[in-house]
Amino acid sequence: MDHYDSQQTNDYMQPEEDWDRDLLLDPAWEKQQRKTFTAWCNSHLRKAGTQIENIEEDFRDGLKLMLLLEVISGERLAKPERGKMRVHKISNVNKALDFIASKGVKLVSIGAEEIVDGNVKMTLGMIWTIILRFAIQDISVEETSAKEGLLLWCQRKTAPYKNVNIQNFHISWKDGLGFCALIHRHRPELIDYGKLRKDDPLTNLNTAFDVAEKYLDIPKMLDAEDIVGTARPDEKAIMTYVSSFYHAFSGAQKAETAANRICKVLAVNQENEQLMEDYEKLASDLLEWIRRTIPWLENRVPENTMHAMQQKLEDFRDYRRLHKPPKVQEKCQLEINFNTLQTKLRLSNRPAFMPSEGRMVSDINNAWGCLEQAEKGYEEWLLNEIRRLERLDHLAEKFRQKASIHEAWTDGKELMLRQKDYEMATLSEIKALLKKHEAFESDLAAHQDRVEQIAAIAQELNELDYYDSPSVNARCQKICDQWDNLGALTQKRREALERTEKLLETIDELYLEYAKRAAPFNNWMEGAMEDLQDTFIVHTIEEIQGLTTAHEQFKATLPDADKERLAILGIHNEVSKIVQTYHVNMAGTNPYTTITPQEINGKWDHVRQLVPRRDQALTEEHARQQHNERLRKQFGAQANVIGPWIQTKMEEIGRISIEMHGTLEDQLSHLRQYEKSIVNYKPKIDQLEGDHQLVQEALIFDNKHTNYTMEHIRVGWEQLLTTIARTINEVENQILTRDAKGISQEQMNEFRASFNHFDRDHSGTLGPEEFKACLISLGYDIGNDPQGEAEFARIMSIVDPNRLGVVTFQAFIDFMSRETADTDTADQVMASFKILAGDKNYITVDELRRELPPDQAEYCIARMAPYTGPDAVPGALDYMSFSTALYGESDL
C-alpha cells in the first residue's frame, strides 16, 4: 500500500473507532451486527466449503479467521497451528491480526486473547475492521472513497427514483425503497418498482432481500422486522449489506467502462452485432417458411378426379419455379453471413457466435433436409396418384362396358328359363328344346369368364379406393346374384327336359348343326366387338407396336371368319329350303337357338365397322408415342451433357480450393471466373426444365435414354451454386485473415501445404487426430500425457467452438495466425496512443475529435474515464483509462 492509501485508511478508520465501542453496547445493534457480520463472513467462507454458526465461538481457534482472510484477500497466510491448546489458538489469531495490520489497518484495543476468550464486542469490532478494509475501503466514486464513496454511489444510483433520499446508512434505508431502487437500477426485470409503496416497509425490505438472495447471490444479512422495529438501524450492518450490492454490480460498471472501445474495435463490434441480428432474423424467417411449407408438402389427401390432381401438380411446379429458388439463395447467404461473422469475431479476439437455440446452421440444414425429403415424397405421391386415377378411370370404363354387354346378354334369360313350353310340345319340339338348352348352357359357360372379369375389375377398383366404389359394388353384386340364379334355373330346366327326352325321338339335325355353329360364332363376334371397343393405355412405342401387331393378326382371321359365317348362313338356308320343300310346320324359327341370321349379319357388319376405327385409334396412339419418344431423347441428350458438366465443375472447384497455385487473390479471381461461367450456364438448366415440363405434361414416367432425373439435376445445380459461393467466401475470409494478421504468402502456402498433407480424404477438413498430427509436424509439443491432452483440448475449443468434430482450413489459419502473425499488439496500440499524446500522459477531447471519426470520437468521450492524475487537465483522457477501455483490466 502506497502513502496515499495508508493516509486514506488512517483518516477514515480513526473516527470509526470512537463510536464503534459505544454502538457495540446497544443490544439491538449487537443483534443486527451478529446476523449481518455472520452472513457476510459465510458469503466468503462458502467459497472454501465451510461456514460459521456462532461468530464469537467459531473464530476462537483462529483457523476459520485465517481462512476468511485468505479468501477475501486472495493471499496465503502463514501456516496455522493445528493444536487445541490456548497458546495455539492465540498464535493463529495473532497471525490473522498481523495480516490485517500488514494491510495498513490500525487495530485499537483488539488483542488475540479477547478473540480467543470469545469477547463478542471485540470479535464484532475485528470483523467490522475486516469489512472496512476489504469490502468498503476500495470503493471509490469521484475522488471519494470508503464510506463517503459508497454513500455517493448509492445517491447516484437512486437519484431517479421517487420517495428515495439516501443521506446516511441508517434511517434512509428503513422503508426498503433504497434497496429496491438499487436492484431495479441494475436489474429492472427483477422488481416492478412502480407497485412498491412507501408505507409498506416490511414488504419492500423482504422483496429486496429475497430478490438479492435469489438472483444476485447476496445472502440475507438483515431482518426486515429488526430494521423497521428499530428507531435507528445499525449503520455498520447497513453499510456491510449495501457494500455487497456495490460489489455485485461493480461488474456492470466495469462492463460500461469496457464499452468505451475506440475506432476499429467499436466499428467491428457494431458491425458484428448487426450481422448477428441479421443472421437471427434471416434464420427465423427461413425456418418459419420451412415450418409453413412442410405441412403443405406432407398433405397426402387425394383428389377424386384427374383434373384436380393435375392442378395439384401445377401448384407444385409453381412452388419449384417461383417460391423455392429465392429461399435457396437465402439459405446460401445465411451460411455466408455466418462464416463471415465467425471469421470477424476470431480476428477481433471475440468468442464465437452461438445462435439462439434451434437456429444453428446445422438446425437450418436439418430443417432444409426435412423440406427436401417432404418435397421428394410429395412429388412421388402426386405422380403415383395420377397413375392411380388414370388406372381407375380405365378400369371403371372397362367395368361399365363389360357390365353393359353382360346385362344385355342376360336380359330375358330368366324368363326364357322359366317357360314350360315343353309340356305341350311334340317329340321333335322336345328334342329341339333340349338341344336349344344345351346350346344355351354352352353360351352360359362361355359368359362365365366375363362375369369373373367383371368381379375382378370391381375388386381391383375397391383395392385402389375408387371414389364411386359403392355403385360399382352394387352393380357387380346384382350381376353375380343374377348369374347364380341363371345357373340354378338352367340346371332345373335341364332336369325337366331330360325327363321328357325319353318320350321324344327325332330332331332336325340341320337346326342342331346351325345352333352348334352359330352360338360359338356369335360369342366370337361379341368377343371381337368387345375387344375392338376396349380402351387401352400404353407408355412406350413398343407397347403400341405390340397392340398393332395383335390387331393385324386379328384382321388376318377375318377371311376365315367370313367363311364360317357363310357356312352358318348356308345351314340356315338349307333348313329353310327343306321346310319349303317338305312343308314342315316349323313356324319359321329354329327350335335350338335364338340366334338368327339377321343377328349374325348385323353383328358381322358391326365388327367390320369397328375394324377401321380401331386402326385409326392405334395409328393416333402410335403417333403420340413417337412424339413422347422424341421428348425422351431430347431430355436425355441434354441431361447427359448437363449432369456430367455439373459433376466436373464440382470437382474443379474442389481442386482449386485445396491447390496452391498463385496468391489468394489469384485463386479468388479464378473462382469468380468459374462462378460467372456457372451462372452463364443457367439458360441450359432452364431449357432442361422446360423439356422436363413437356415430359411431365405428356405423362411420361420412364426414360431409358438417361440415368439423370430433373431432381438429380436440380440438386446438383443447387449444390454447385452453394459450393462455389461457399468456396469464394472461404478464400475471402482467408484474405481477410491474412491482411488482418500480416501473414505472408509464403506462410499461407506453408499452412496450406501442411493442411493438405494431413487431409487424406481431400474433404477440406481435418479430424481431431489429423489436426493433432499436423500441429506436431509444425513443432507443437503435444504429448499423450494429461497435460498434452488438456493443451490439445484447449486448442480444439478455439478452432472448433461449435464442437463439430472437424477443423476447417479457415479455422486452422486463424489459429496459426494468432500464434505467428505479426499483428498490432496491445503495446503497439498503446505506443500509438503515446505518439498522439506526445510528452503528455493524456489526450485532450479536442485532439480525440480531430483524430477520430465524429461518431466514434463522441462515443469514446462519453464513456472513457477522464484523466485523474496529479496534474489533471479538464476534458482530457489519460493513458490508463484508454488502455482499460480498449483491452480491459486483465491486460494492464
Side-chain angles (χ1 to χ4, degrees), residues 417 444 482-494:
L417 291 173
L444 186 69
Q482 186 184 40
W483 184 256
D484 294 338
N485 192 32
L486 284 175
L489 291 175
T490 300
Q491 180 66 24
K492 184 177 180 182
R493 183 174 177 82
R494 166 172 278 282

Side-chain angles (χ1 to χ4, degrees), residues 36 38 43 126 194-195 199 226 297 306 316 392 409 423 430 464 493 496 539 687 700 718 729 764 777 792 797 846:
T36 301
T38 300
S43 69
M126 177 190 65
K195 293 184 179 180
D199 59 354
D226 293 343
L297 293 174
M306 178 70 75
F316 181 72
L392 284 175
W409 179 84
E423 293 180 349
I430 292 299
L464 294 176
R493 183 174 177 82
H539 295 96
Q687 181 181 355
I700 300 173
E718 293 170 0
N729 178 250
S777 71
F792 182 66
S797 67
D846 292 337

Side-chain angles (χ1 to χ4, degrees), residues 685-741:
I685 302 297
D686 296 336
Q687 181 181 355
L688 188 64
E689 284 281 4
D691 293 343
H692 177 65
Q693 182 174 350
L694 294 177
V695 168
Q696 285 195 326
E697 289 174 352
L699 299 179
I700 300 173
F701 305 112
D702 301 310
N703 193 343
K704 65 182 180 181
H705 301 292
T706 181
N707 293 326
Y708 293 98
T709 67
M710 196 62 226
E711 178 63 23
H712 293 153
I713 300 298
R714 289 193 197 102
V715 172
W717 178 253
E718 293 170 0
Q719 288 179 348
L720 180 60
L721 293 177
T722 302
T723 300
I724 187 64
R726 185 185 296 114
T727 305
I728 290 175
N729 178 250
E730 289 176 355
V731 175
E732 289 174 340
N733 287 339
Q734 292 173 23
I735 293 174
L736 182 63
T737 301
R738 183 199 64 189
D739 295 342
K741 298 297 186 178

Side-chain angles (χ1 to χ4, degrees), residues 132-162:
L132 280 176
R133 172 59 184 87
F134 292 100
I136 299 176
Q137 175 184 330
D138 293 334
I139 297 174
S140 178
V141 179
E142 293 188 1
E143 300 185 6
T144 63
S145 59
K147 177 180 177 182
E148 292 77 10
L150 182 60
L151 182 60
L152 180 58
W153 178 79
C154 294
Q155 292 171 343
R156 291 287 178 83
K157 294 299 181 181
T158 59
Y161 294 84
K162 64 179 182 179

Side-chain angles (χ1 to χ4, degrees), residues 12-61:
Y12 78 79
M13 288 293 293
Q14 188 59 43
E16 291 292 291
E17 294 298 333
D18 295 337
W19 48 267
D20 277 351
R21 299 182 184 85
D22 296 332
L23 299 183
L24 284 171
L25 298 176
D26 189 327
W29 286 12
E30 179 179 322
K31 178 183 177 183
Q32 292 182 18
Q33 289 181 12
R34 275 175 177 270
K35 178 176 178 61
T36 301
F37 292 176
T38 300
W40 183 87
C41 292
N42 284 333
S43 69
H44 294 286
L45 286 173
R46 67 183 178 185
K47 299 175 184 177
T50 186
Q51 64 179 7
I52 62 172
E53 300 292 337
N54 190 317
I55 196 167
E56 67 269 20
E57 290 295 327
D58 292 347
F59 286 140
R60 290 180 62 184
D61 60 1

Side-chain angles (χ1 to χ4, degrees), residues 821-889:
D822 182 17
T823 64
D824 286 342
T825 62
D827 291 340
Q828 292 173 324
V829 175
M830 297 315 300
S832 299
F833 174 90
K834 292 182 179 181
I835 291 173
L836 293 178
D839 296 333
K840 312 184 299 298
N841 194 34
Y842 56 84
I843 299 177
T844 65
V845 171
D846 292 337
E847 290 173 336
L848 192 62
R849 287 174 174 153
R850 184 171 62 250
E851 299 296 335
L852 299 182
D855 57 340
Q856 296 176 350
E858 295 303 327
Y859 188 85
C860 292
I861 292 170
R863 290 161 174 78
M864 191 177 293
Y867 177 49
T868 59
D871 53 347
V873 176
L877 308 174
D878 68 328
Y879 178 89
M880 292 301 292
S881 298
F882 179 87
S883 176
T884 301
L886 186 59
Y887 297 105
E889 294 184 356

